[in-house]
């Protein structure tokens, strides 16, 4: 509860009653059956060392919870035959009956709620649904780090509750922390967006929420999270190029300052229990067979305390699709020797023994991988006997879909919704002045669309139409049969808009447009949606509110420029309570505070930039415009960080230095020669930082939340970003209220840039700090 209260603290007002959830749990459970069949049966909870039913196991050291984890795992690994060890290299881990170890399914998902994707989790009449939070891209738009962690905590509680009744596992292959590099990527919806810092903060926060236990024991895990897909994975299927065959050609510079930071933060700041390697190759090597990326970086440099798992069938893909090795045995050996511990699939189960007998890999390497896997299960309590006697043993169905959890799903959607346009006197609408509301569009009464992909059966749904209808009288026309909108049905839609006091159009996409294995080829609204919007806006009597329900950005220039369209909201895929949250924002019971976590590009951008071009930085020589707000030099529809409020906020700089000096040892070359940058070394960087204090005041007429962004524009060295985010803080202020926001800036971490070979350098010279319209000059010298 404390985490939920913390996440909600940035909301100026909350409703205690879930009055807009107007349909019963059971009714919506029945609706969900068409999407995800459930089962009436439940499996027994999987755990080892069950001394109650098998007293002989109490003699095994690995079952002795008084011993340290590593000693217990060492004891277990020594007892296993080679064939038994190989059984622990695959996601559907085999049982070892003689040691009292049951089968275990590693593959469960929890991207934004416990999911039915993956064989490790299922819903039944015992637990028919779980809380379905907004898709990650919308939660990221809240820029609320405490919310990221609070959602993770709720998800792990529901996961543990389902584990206790045999419906779920303990290992969850979430979150997805890839950078949303290209707006066409179908899986961008799963990510925290395009910025490395935001993605890193989200990654560490959500992982902590999933993993940290309430007793504070840092060595044990509530559930085990997994950061994926490592690395430079952001193309699924675009114009004939798919993820199974794509070689991402990435410069060391882009790898260091764009693609790697979220994974590094996952491991170092979040202490994640797992990292998943991806399907694609990076610079000619499959990521799951690259010893530099796996053993070298994840385990060597970052010191992963956990296991490395392949994306599903990645080992099979690198052999059969990429033809990276000449034999399946060589593929098994190469991946294990590179640092892979677990295969999602059965490839290692089939070919590892032959790789050992053929001399391609020794049994010690197998033992090392198995050790990493079993150590994770040990930290989860899998070898501590009956889970009902452990910390989370009393959780059960009563702890899933609680009112508090469902309210947090609604709150997360409210905090993420972004107000992109608002003409004077448009939003918020007055529930007393609006007597009739026209609700139009292919996404206006959808259910499953709102929960995106990697979803589970939700507790219940509140569609946009239901949410709005709970506030005022509505009339509804879909306007299109579906989001493809091959033929807009204009007449009835225009008719209800012409007679209503206001019109809400809910348009956008769904998984038929943008999804895993489905990248977009353009940025336009599908089919005749634009025609529907324009014609309805022309016919409408009152204000027109356009609601865009998508994962990625759209070129909606026509709507932005249309004076008849008075307001535009982006709502992502807003989760089970999305309709209630949309109504809260439109009618002003919640003051919008979301900000875009990605750039919205014009259609012309994708017409000249191939999705396969991995470069981040612009190139004047061939007209390449660059990618994301950090490097893109062209026009945007909306920019990263854009978002309006019903209030106005002013910033005043209270404290920031004008000069920072970096201490160097005597004889350093930069004392006698002019240097443009300095290598980041521990000796010079220790305790080298400064504070930036800002006074923020709400000068509007409403209470509201506000995200304070601290950016830096570094000196022009090493083709550095035009600006990059150093930090963000979300504050809640009443009308006329003010507070001081404090940022701590680590010079070597926050003011450094990656050079051309991927080394971190502190740029010397003038750095410009930005907050809103404020700018402050900071000189960094030796």
């Amino acid at each position: 509860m404390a985490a939920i209260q913390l996440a909600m603290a940035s909301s100026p007002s909350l409703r205690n009653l879930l009055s807009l959830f107007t349909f019963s749990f059971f009714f919506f459970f029945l609706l969900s059956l068409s999407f995800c069949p459930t089962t009436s049966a439940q499996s027994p909870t999987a755990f080892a060392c069950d001394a109650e039913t098998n007293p002989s196991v109490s003699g095994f050291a690995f079952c002795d919870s008084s011993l340290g984890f590593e000693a217990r795992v060492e004891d277990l690994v020594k007892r296993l035959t080679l064939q038994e060890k190989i059984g622990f290299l695959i996601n559907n881990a085999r049982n070892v009956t003689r040691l009292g170890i049951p089968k275990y399914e590693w593959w469960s998902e929890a991207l934004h709620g416990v999911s039915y994707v993956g064989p490790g989790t299922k819903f039944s009449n015992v637990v028919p649904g779980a809380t379905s939070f907004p898709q990650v891209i919308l939660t990221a738009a809240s820029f609320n780090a405490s919310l990221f962690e609070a959602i993770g905590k709720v998800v792990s509680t529901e996961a543990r509750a389902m584990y206790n009744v045999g419906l779920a596992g303990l290992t969850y292959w979430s979150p997805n922390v890839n950078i949303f590099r290209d707006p066409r990527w179908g899986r961008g919806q799963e990510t925290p967006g395009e910025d490395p810092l935001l993605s890193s903060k989200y990654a560490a926060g959500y992982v902590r929420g999933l993993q940290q236990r309430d007793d504070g024991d840092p060595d044990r895990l509530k559930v085990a999270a997994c950061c994926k897909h490592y690395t430079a994975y952001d193309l699924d299927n675009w114009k004939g190029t798919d993820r199974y065959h794509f070689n991402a050609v990435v410069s060391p510079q882009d790898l260091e300052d764009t693609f790697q930071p979220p994974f590094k933060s996952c491991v170092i700041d979040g202490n994640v229990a797992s990292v998943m390697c991806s399907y694609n190759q990076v610079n000619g090597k499959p990521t799951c067979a690259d010893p530099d990326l796996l053993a070298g970086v994840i385990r060597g440099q970052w010191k992963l305390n956990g296991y490395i798992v392949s994306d599903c069938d990645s080992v099979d893909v690198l052999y059969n699709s990429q033809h990276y090795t000449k034999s399946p045995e060589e593929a098994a050996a190469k991946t294990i020797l590179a640092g892979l511990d677990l295969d999602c699939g059965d490839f290692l189960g089939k070919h590892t023994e032959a790789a050992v007998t053929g001399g391609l890999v020794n049994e010690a390497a197998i033992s090392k991988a198995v050790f990493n896997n079993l150590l994770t299960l040990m930290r989860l309590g899998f070898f501590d006997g009956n889970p009902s006697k452990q910390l989370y043993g009393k959780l059960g169905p009563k702890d899933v879909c609680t009112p508090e959890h469902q309210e947090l799903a609604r709150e997360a959607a409210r905090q993420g919704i972004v107000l992109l346009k608002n003409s004077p006197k448009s939003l918020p609408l007055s529930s007393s002045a609006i007597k009739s509301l026209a609700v139009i569009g292919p996404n206006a009464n959808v259910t499953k669309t709102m929960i995106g992909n990697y979803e589970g059966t939700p507790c219940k749904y509140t569609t946009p139409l239901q949410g709005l209808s709970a506030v005022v009288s509505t009339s509804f026309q879909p306007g299109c049969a579906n989001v493809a909108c091959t033929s807009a049905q204009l007449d009835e839609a225009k008719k209800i808009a012409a007679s209503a006091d206001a019109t809400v159009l809910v348009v956008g996409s769904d998984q038929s447009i943008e999804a895993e294995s489905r990248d977009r080829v353009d940025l336009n609204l599908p089919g005749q949606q634009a025609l529907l919007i324009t014609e309805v806006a022309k016919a409408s009597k009152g204000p027109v509110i356009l609601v865009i329900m998508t994962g990625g950005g759209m070129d909606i220039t026509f709507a932005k420029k249309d004076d008849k369209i008075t307001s535009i909201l982006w709502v992502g895929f807003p989760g089970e309570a999305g309709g209630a949250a949309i109504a809260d924002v439109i009618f002003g019971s919640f003051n919008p505070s979301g900000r875009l976590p990605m750039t919205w590009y014009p259609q012309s951008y994708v017409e000249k930039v191939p999705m396969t071009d991995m470069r981040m930085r612009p190139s004047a020589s061939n007209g390449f415009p660059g990618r994301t707000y950090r490097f893109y030099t062209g026009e945007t529809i909306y920019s990263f960080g854009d978002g309006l409020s019903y209030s106005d906020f002013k910033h005043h700089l209270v404290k920031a230095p004008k000069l920072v000096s970096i201490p160097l040892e005597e004889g350093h070359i930069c004392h006698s020669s002019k240097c443009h940058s300095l290598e980041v070394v521990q000796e010079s960087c220790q305790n080298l930082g400064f504070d930036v204090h800002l006074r923020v005041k709400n000068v509007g007429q409403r209470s509201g939340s506000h995200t304070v962004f601290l950016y830096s524009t570094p000196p022009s060295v090493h083709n550095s970003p035009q600006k990059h985010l150093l930090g963000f803080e979300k504050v809640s202020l009443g009308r006329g209220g003010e507070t001081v926001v404090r940022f701590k800036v680590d010079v070597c971490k926050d003011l450094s840039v990656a050079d051309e070979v991927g080394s971190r350098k502190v740029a010397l010279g003038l750095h410009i700090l930005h907050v809103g319209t404020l700018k402050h000059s900071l000189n960094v010298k030796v």
Side-chain angles (χ1 to χ4, degrees):
M1 275 303 293
I4 294 175
Q5 289 164 351
L6 179 62
M8 291 182 173
S10 62
S11 166
S13 64
L14 288 174
R15 298 177 180 176
N16 295 321
L17 298 176
L18 302 177
S19 58
L20 292 184
F21 294 133
T22 55
F23 286 82
S24 71
F25 179 95
F26 183 69
F27 180 75
F28 280 99
F29 163 56
L30 290 178
L31 283 182
S32 72
L33 291 178
S34 61
F35 305 121
C36 175
T38 58
T39 175
S40 59
Q42 66 184 82
S43 306
T45 302
F47 64 94
C49 300
D50 185 4
E52 294 174 6
T53 59
N54 184 7
S56 64
V57 300
S58 58
F60 299 139
F62 69 82
C63 289
D64 185 352
S65 59
S66 69
L67 299 176
F69 291 144
E70 295 202 358
R72 295 171 69 186
V73 176
E74 285 173 5
D75 173 75
L76 175 52
V77 173
K78 285 176 185 175
R79 295 175 187 271
L80 298 173
T81 66
L82 175 60
Q83 290 77 18
E84 287 169 341
K85 289 174 185 174
I86 290 170
F88 287 112
L89 295 178
I90 56 177
N91 66 285
N92 186 18
R94 300 167 191 160
N95 61 312
V96 183
T97 306
R98 67 185 183 86
L99 297 178
I101 302 172
K103 289 181 178 180
Y104 177 72
E105 177 54 66
W106 287 80
W107 181 7
S108 291
E109 303 276 356
L111 181 68
H112 53 105
V114 179
S115 171
Y116 48 58
V117 176
T121 303
K122 55 185 177 291
F123 294 96
S124 76
N125 56 356
V126 179
V127 179
T131 308
S132 189
F133 290 92
Q135 185 62 291
V136 175
I137 193 71
L138 187 71
T139 296
S142 73
F143 283 88
N144 184 352
S146 68
L147 179 65
F148 307 157
E149 190 166 335
I151 292 173
K153 187 169 184 177
V154 165
V155 173
S156 59
T157 294
E158 297 195 348
R160 269 283 178 175
M162 292 177 67
Y163 168 74
N164 288 343
V165 291
L167 293 173
L170 294 169
T171 46
Y172 290 84
W173 293 346
S174 305
N176 178 344
V177 298
N178 292 118
I179 294 295
F180 199 169
R181 171 186 63 93
D182 189 286
R184 291 162 287 195
W185 187 32
R187 300 189 74 176
Q189 60 180 291
E190 302 173 31
T191 76
E194 71 181 33
D195 180 66
L197 179 79
L198 172 59
S199 297
S200 296
K201 296 281 190 186
Y202 179 86
Y206 190 65
V207 166
R208 281 193 296 267
L210 288 175
Q211 294 192 165
Q212 284 185 350
R213 286 165 51 105
D214 293 275
D215 62 2
D217 188 332
D219 297 322
R220 290 182 177 270
L221 299 167
K222 188 178 180 186
V223 301
C226 173
C227 289
K228 62 186 186 184
H229 313 78
Y230 181 83
T231 183
Y233 167 71
D234 46 31
L235 178 148
D236 267 59
N237 192 345
W238 180 78
K239 293 188 174 181
T241 300
D242 68 37
R243 58 185 176 173
Y244 307 115
H245 300 87
F246 181 53
N247 175 29
V249 178
V250 184
S251 71
Q253 187 174 36
D254 287 341
L255 196 65
E256 167 62 27
D257 78 354
T258 295
F259 299 107
Q260 295 291 70
F263 293 99
K264 184 177 182 179
S265 184
C266 260
V267 176
I268 294 176
D269 302 323
N271 195 23
V272 75
S274 178
V275 174
M276 176 184 285
C277 52
S278 53
Y279 291 113
N280 57 292
Q281 296 186 356
V282 173
N283 298 327
K285 286 185 181 179
T287 61
C288 293
D290 189 332
D292 295 328
L293 284 176
L294 302 190
V297 175
I298 298 176
R299 203 169 290 284
Q301 293 178 26
W302 299 343
K303 310 299 181 189
L304 172 73
N305 180 18
Y307 68 100
I308 298 173
V309 60
S310 74
D311 204 341
C312 295
D313 294 322
S314 285
V315 185
D316 184 281
V317 164
L318 70 87
Y319 170 64
N320 280 312
S321 298
Q322 298 174 1
H323 310 296
Y324 186 68
T325 63
K326 294 179 180 177
S327 70
E329 295 79 16
E330 185 187 358
K334 274 188 177 292
T335 52
I336 292 168
L337 291 171
L340 186 70
D341 301 309
L342 187 71
D343 175 21
C344 178
D346 59 3
F347 195 92
L348 293 187
K350 290 177 178 176
H351 301 294
T352 301
E353 186 171 359
V356 174
T357 56
L360 297 174
V361 63
N362 59 31
E363 187 171 348
I366 312 303
S367 298
K368 185 177 178 183
V370 170
F371 182 95
N372 292 329
N373 297 337
L374 294 176
L375 183 61
T376 304
L377 287 180
M378 195 70 72
R379 294 172 66 204
L380 285 161
F382 187 80
F383 292 95
D384 290 345
N386 194 331
S388 68
K389 298 180 179 178
Q390 298 177 35
L391 178 62
Y392 295 106
K394 303 306 179 192
L395 294 175
K398 71 182 187 311
D399 301 295
V400 183
C401 287
T402 67
E404 294 84 3
H405 294 178
Q406 293 182 62
E407 180 62 20
L408 185 62
R410 180 173 173 176
E411 175 67 9
R414 284 189 289 227
Q415 289 196 30
I417 290 172
V418 182
L419 178 63
L420 293 170
K421 174 183 177 180
N422 200 24
S423 304
K425 298 183 180 177
S426 177
L427 289 182
L429 298 181
S430 165
S431 58
S432 58
I434 300 295
K435 303 300 182 185
S436 60
L437 183 69
V439 182
I440 298 167
N443 277 343
N445 199 31
V446 291
T447 53
K448 197 162 185 288
T449 297
M450 296 196 301
I451 60 175
N453 66 356
Y454 282 84
E455 76 284 11
T457 305
C459 310
K460 63 181 85 172
Y461 287 111
T462 304
T463 72
L465 177 61
Q466 290 165 359
L468 294 164
S469 298
V471 184
V472 295
S473 176
T474 59
S475 53
F476 168 62
Q477 284 292 329
C480 303
N482 50 45
V483 291
C485 198
T486 53
S487 178
Q489 298 140 23
L490 299 176
D491 292 344
E492 290 301 315
K494 290 164 66 175
K495 183 178 177 182
I496 65 169
S499 61
D501 294 335
T503 298
V504 175
L505 279 151
V506 190
V507 300
S509 67
D510 61 17
Q511 301 303 305
S512 71
I513 304 295
E514 48 180 339
E516 185 170 10
S517 300
R518 184 176 290 117
D519 298 325
R520 291 187 286 161
V521 293
D522 65 53
L523 301 182
N524 298 318
L525 286 168
Q528 294 190 352
Q529 286 192 36
L531 175 65
L532 173 70
I533 294 164
T534 302
E535 290 300 309
V536 166
K538 277 184 196 172
S540 64
K541 180 177 77 171
V544 177
I545 296 92
L546 177 62
V547 177
I548 309 288
M549 188 182 292
T550 62
M554 295 282 183
D555 185 340
I556 53 168
T557 304
F558 75 95
K560 185 179 179 181
K561 293 181 176 178
D562 188 340
D563 290 339
K564 286 285 287 179
I565 297 169
T566 52
S567 302
I568 301 175
L569 292 166
W570 175 70
V571 300
F573 295 126
E576 64 171 42
I582 290 167
D584 290 340
V585 170
I586 286 176
F587 283 97
S589 64
F590 187 89
N591 191 345
S593 60
R595 302 291 193 93
L596 286 182
M598 73 296 204
T599 302
W600 284 32
Y601 300 87
Q603 169 62 17
S604 59
Y605 177 81
V606 299
E607 289 169 356
K608 61 188 176 189
V609 176
M611 197 172 171
T612 49
D613 190 328
M614 296 294 292
R615 290 177 297 167
M616 297 300 298
R617 288 159 165 82
S619 172
S621 62
N622 61 7
F624 183 71
R627 295 181 179 277
T628 77
Y629 81 93
R630 294 162 62 232
F631 302 107
Y632 175 58
T633 54
E635 295 295 316
T636 64
I637 309 303
Y638 291 106
S639 300
F640 176 90
D642 277 359
L644 304 172
S645 168
Y646 300 151
S647 301
D648 291 307
F649 297 87
K650 299 293 184 187
H651 306 103
H652 174 72
L653 185 63
V654 176
K655 177 182 179 183
K658 293 184 177 180
L659 176 68
V660 172
S661 295
I662 299 177
L664 297 177
E665 70 274 13
E666 281 188 45
H668 193 287
I669 190 170
C670 292
H671 283 307
S672 55
S673 303
K674 182 171 176 60
C675 294
H676 296 290
S677 64
L678 281 174
E679 192 156 356
V680 171
V681 291
Q682 192 170 353
E683 295 75 29
S684 302
C685 291
Q686 203 156 12
N687 301 320
L688 189 61
F690 58 88
D691 294 331
V692 175
H693 294 178
L694 294 137
R695 183 177 296 112
V696 184
K697 184 171 184 177
N698 181 353
V699 296
Q701 297 303 305
R702 289 173 173 263
S703 297
S705 295
H706 176 66
T707 298
V708 183
F709 294 107
L710 177 62
Y711 292 99
S712 168
T713 295
S716 296
V717 296
H718 304 302
N719 208 359
S720 58
Q722 53 193 356
K723 72 172 183 176
H724 64 112
L725 191 60
L726 302 186
F728 58 87
E729 287 291 336
K730 193 157 194 174
V731 296
S732 179
L733 294 171
R735 186 175 67 175
E738 62 179 64
T739 190
V740 174
V741 175
R742 296 170 172 83
F743 292 100
K744 286 192 173 297
V745 179
D746 180 321
V747 171
C748 292
K749 180 180 179 183
D750 299 325
L751 297 186
S752 64
V753 297
D755 71 7
E756 290 76 6
V757 296
S759 296
R760 279 280 163 185
K761 300 284 180 67
V762 177
L764 299 176
L766 198 64
H767 295 247
I768 308 297
L769 302 180
H770 310 244
V771 177
T773 57
L774 289 178
K775 292 187 178 182
H776 175 77
S777 297
L778 169 71
N779 194 22
V780 178
K781 67 172 196 174
V782 296

